[in-house]
Amino acid sequence: MKKSLFSLLCTISLIGFSQNLTKIDHFGQNKGNLKMYTYVPENLDLNNRTPLVFVLHGCTQSAEQIALETGWNKLADSLHFIVVYPEQKQINNATKCFNFFIGFKAKKDKGEVASIRQMIDYCFENYQIDSSQIFITGMSAGGGMTNAMLNAYPNVFNAGAIVAGPSTLFDANNTSSEKQPRIAILQGDADKIVIPNNANKILDHWLTKHRIEKNNVDTINDYQKHAQLTVHLFRNTDQETKVIVLTEKGIAHKILINPGEKLNEGGAMDFHTEDINFHSTFWIAQFFGLTPKKD
């Protein structure tokens, strides 16, 4: 009860709260006609090489909303990285979904994919970006576009996380398995909007790219003492974990959050989120390698 009340108070206090995003009006040719927003922590040392995280919203959402829901900016302040939020325009899609399902908008150097690639170039031109630490994540349609970006530019990204993302794309590309990005797939088994079979298809695609057999997996139930969470770890022949699937029992089309002030807490309650005392944003940041390493 106390937790529920705390979550409610967090939500109320955050209504109308600005995420202090900066709109970048000119970042390239912008073939896909997207908007670009950035979050650069005030305490960031711009002389050091900095990790870069792209966060893509779902249908009907905005950059401000996905920033608020996920809590990525709080982590950026604590862990010292830059966040970029591409935003869809309603003129491109009536429900503000990224057009991950349209070939001429979702392939390498085409449409919206090209626009996001230009946002990466803009960051390299204006900040000291660590090229070995570029990451991307997205929810729902943003997960679909995340998958499109990882397929189109596997050499650009160290890792990506697809949250309740639809599967409509598989690009075999010519990148060797050793240079494919690491992949995390988060999926609720009660999702009626993006059904779980999408996660299975995305998993099969990336296991093929990494040349990993599907039976080469370790499964952890009651993950981190959460009865609703199961993790599947897929390793290559060198026993390196390249693909992780986080299955969420009884969870619908939601982002898992854990509102609070600690480093591993965050996010805000609204229609797109669910509080089960597990901050999926922090978990993704751990997967990316952005959090302090445990002894």
Side-chain angles (χ1 to χ4, degrees), residues 12-33:
I12 293 172
S13 67
L14 288 169
I15 292 176
F17 177 76
S18 171
Q19 290 294 290
N20 297 319
L21 305 185
T22 300
K23 188 172 184 289
I24 307 297
D25 290 318
H26 305 289
F27 57 86
Q29 188 179 355
N30 196 10
K31 293 180 182 180
N33 193 32

Side-chain angles (χ1 to χ4, degrees), residues 138-158:
M139 160 70 173
S140 193
M145 185 55 79
T146 293
N147 196 36
M149 290 299 298
L150 293 164
N151 273 277
Y153 306 107
N155 292 315
V156 171
F157 299 100
N158 177 292

Side-chain angles (χ1 to χ4, degrees), residues 88-156:
Q88 181 62 285
K89 295 181 181 179
Q90 204 158 21
I91 194 173
N92 298 334
N93 185 293
T95 55
K96 292 189 69 177
C97 304
F98 288 105
N99 290 302
F100 62 90
F101 50 88
I102 301 177
F104 65 87
K105 294 179 181 287
K107 295 288 180 68
K108 183 177 181 179
D109 300 334
K110 303 291 184 182
E112 295 169 19
V113 162
S115 291
I116 297 172
R117 181 67 178 87
Q118 288 173 328
M119 295 179 195
I120 297 173
D121 293 340
Y122 173 90
C123 291
F124 271 102
E125 292 168 2
N126 290 273
Y127 310 108
Q128 294 291 327
I129 300 299
D130 184 344
S131 62
S132 69
Q133 294 194 78
I134 301 177
F135 309 96
I136 187 167
T137 183
M139 160 70 173
S140 193
M145 185 55 79
T146 293
N147 196 36
M149 290 299 298
L150 293 164
N151 273 277
Y153 306 107
N155 292 315
V156 171

Side-chain angles (χ1 to χ4, degrees), residues 9 43 46 52 56 62-63 68 101 105 115 127 158 175 183 191 208 282 284:
L9 290 173
N43 62 351
L46 296 177
L52 178 64
L56 280 64
S62 66
L68 179 66
F101 50 88
K105 294 179 181 287
S115 291
Y127 310 108
N158 177 292
T175 302
I183 304 295
D191 194 336
T208 297
F282 180 79
I284 291 170

Side-chain angles (χ1 to χ4, degrees), residues 72-263:
W72 272 107
N73 293 355
K74 175 191 167 188
L75 282 182
D77 287 336
S78 299
L79 302 175
H80 311 298
F81 56 84
I82 293 171
V83 191
V84 175
Y85 298 93
E87 184 176 285
Q88 181 62 285
K89 295 181 181 179
Q90 204 158 21
I91 194 173
N92 298 334
N93 185 293
T95 55
K96 292 189 69 177
C97 304
F98 288 105
N99 290 302
F100 62 90
F101 50 88
I102 301 177
F104 65 87
K105 294 179 181 287
K107 295 288 180 68
K108 183 177 181 179
D109 300 334
K110 303 291 184 182
E112 295 169 19
V113 162
S115 291
I116 297 172
R117 181 67 178 87
Q118 288 173 328
M119 295 179 195
I120 297 173
D121 293 340
Y122 173 90
C123 291
F124 271 102
E125 292 168 2
N126 290 273
Y127 310 108
Q128 294 291 327
I129 300 299
D130 184 344
S131 62
S132 69
Q133 294 194 78
I134 301 177
F135 309 96
I136 187 167
T137 183
M139 160 70 173
S140 193
M145 185 55 79
T146 293
N147 196 36
M149 290 299 298
L150 293 164
N151 273 277
Y153 306 107
N155 292 315
V156 171
F157 299 100
N158 177 292
I162 301 165
V163 183
S167 170
T168 61
L169 177 68
F170 175 64
D171 179 1
N173 65 55
N174 295 319
T175 302
S176 66
S177 60
E178 293 80 8
K179 296 182 179 180
Q180 296 285 355
R182 296 177 296 114
I183 304 295
I185 302 165
L186 295 80
Q187 179 69 49
D189 70 0
D191 194 336
K192 304 299 183 184
I193 297 175
V194 176
I195 61 173
N197 193 45
N198 285 273
N200 295 331
K201 290 180 180 179
I202 293 171
L203 170 62
D204 288 342
H205 294 166
W206 286 102
L207 291 182
T208 297
K209 289 174 181 290
H210 281 286
R211 298 181 183 176
I212 296 174
E213 296 294 331
K214 202 167 186 177
N215 60 2
N216 192 12
V217 58
D218 288 333
T219 297
I220 306 172
N221 296 309
D222 298 326
Y223 180 65
Q224 295 186 3
K225 299 182 179 179
H226 290 279
Q228 290 176 270
L229 301 180
T230 300
V231 158
H232 308 277
L233 308 172
F234 295 88
R235 296 188 172 94
N236 62 13
T237 55
D238 293 326
Q239 296 306 304
E240 299 168 322
T241 299
K242 294 295 185 179
V243 182
I244 295 181
V245 177
L246 179 67
T247 302
E248 306 155 355
K249 184 179 180 180
I251 302 298
H253 198 61
K254 302 288 185 178
I255 300 167
L256 298 182
I257 62 167
N258 183 21
E261 297 301 319
K262 295 179 181 178
L263 182 63

